[in-house]
Amino acid sequence: MIYTTTLLSRGSIFGSLISKVRPLAAASLSNSSALHSKTLEEKIGLPPRPKKPLTPYFRFMREMRPKMLAKNPSISTIEVVRQLSKSWGEVDPKLKERLQSEYKRDQELYLEKRTKYDATLTEEQRSELKQLKQDISDAKERKQLRKRIKELGRPKKPASAFLRFISIERTNTPQTENQTYREWHQKATAKWARLSDEEKAVYMSESRKELDQYKKNISIWEEKMIRLGHIDVVRHGNLIDPPEPKPRKLQAAKEK
């Protein structure tokens, strides 16, 4: 079976993406001094790697932002970025040439420092960095996929019998002021364990009904997603065609 996906043309989105990303990136740059996140190297106990130099565009933003704020202290950061982003397209060629020259000089220094830094890393450290990058990339993809699934309206899996009991218990016997959630949960879990099979059956029966309905809903939803080309949100097993059923006569003959 062949499924097709809708492809977006590059020309239709690149211009709008650049116009949106540049101001947002510059806005984050303005707050970079207040926020500091650890580099991958620092997370595994290595000294931080040399930082890449600012591009001419961001050098322009760094130089002009204080001047604009001095003229208009009440202006918002986003508005500053928008105005400077627009001004960059009409900037004095001499200023742009200077910024490009400074960037080229700093880029050469950066490459020299980065080469020396990379030479100090052991194979084990390189492998650890590579794995950390992959883990971060995988986590980001999973997060984006969960967001897409939610936006596409995937049916929500019903709660188990135990979770259904816990939900009801939170209403009937809420957590007290002097009780931590962990203590309350342990108490509720112990209460569930003391329930008889007949008492648990009530919760299990409701869960089974909702689960049967969920299976029908998820099947309909996944078929719809396949038709629309959203194959990445469909469970992999459902993308494999089941084998064709064997004719009854032939199967009976083989059994004899």
Side-chain angles (χ1 to χ4, degrees), residues 123-136:
E123 286 301 321
E124 184 179 355
Q125 290 169 337
R126 292 175 191 274
S127 178
E128 193 172 355
L129 280 172
K130 184 178 180 180
Q131 185 60 51
L132 182 57
K133 288 179 182 178
Q134 186 61 49
D135 292 344
I136 293 174

Side-chain angles (χ1 to χ4, degrees), residues 28 36 80 90 101 136 148 218 245:
S28 65
H36 172 69
V80 169
E90 305 167 356
S101 177
I136 293 174
R148 282 198 68 226
I218 194 68

Side-chain angles (χ1 to χ4, degrees), residues 16 39-40 43 87 104 114 122 131 134-135 150 153-155 191 201 211 231-233 236:
S16 59
T39 64
L40 295 180
K43 288 181 180 179
S87 299
K104 184 178 180 180
R114 185 60 190 266
T122 64
Q131 185 60 51
Q134 186 61 49
D135 292 344
K150 185 176 180 180
R154 179 177 179 174
K191 185 175 179 179
L211 184 60
I231 299 176
D232 57 321
V233 301
H236 289 238

Side-chain angles (χ1 to χ4, degrees), residues 6 112 115:
T6 304
E112 184 179 342
T115 300

Side-chain angles (χ1 to χ4, degrees), residues 217-251:
N217 293 341
I218 194 68
S219 179
I220 294 171
W221 181 81
E222 287 185 331
E223 288 178 6
K224 179 182 177 181
M225 292 301 103
I226 290 173
R227 289 197 303 271
L228 294 175
H230 302 304
I231 299 176
D232 57 321
V233 301
V234 178
R235 294 169 295 177
H236 289 238
N238 291 0
L239 294 176
I240 303 173
D241 288 336
E244 292 290 336
K246 296 179 181 179
R248 290 183 118 182
K249 292 182 180 179
L250 292 175
Q251 190 172 0

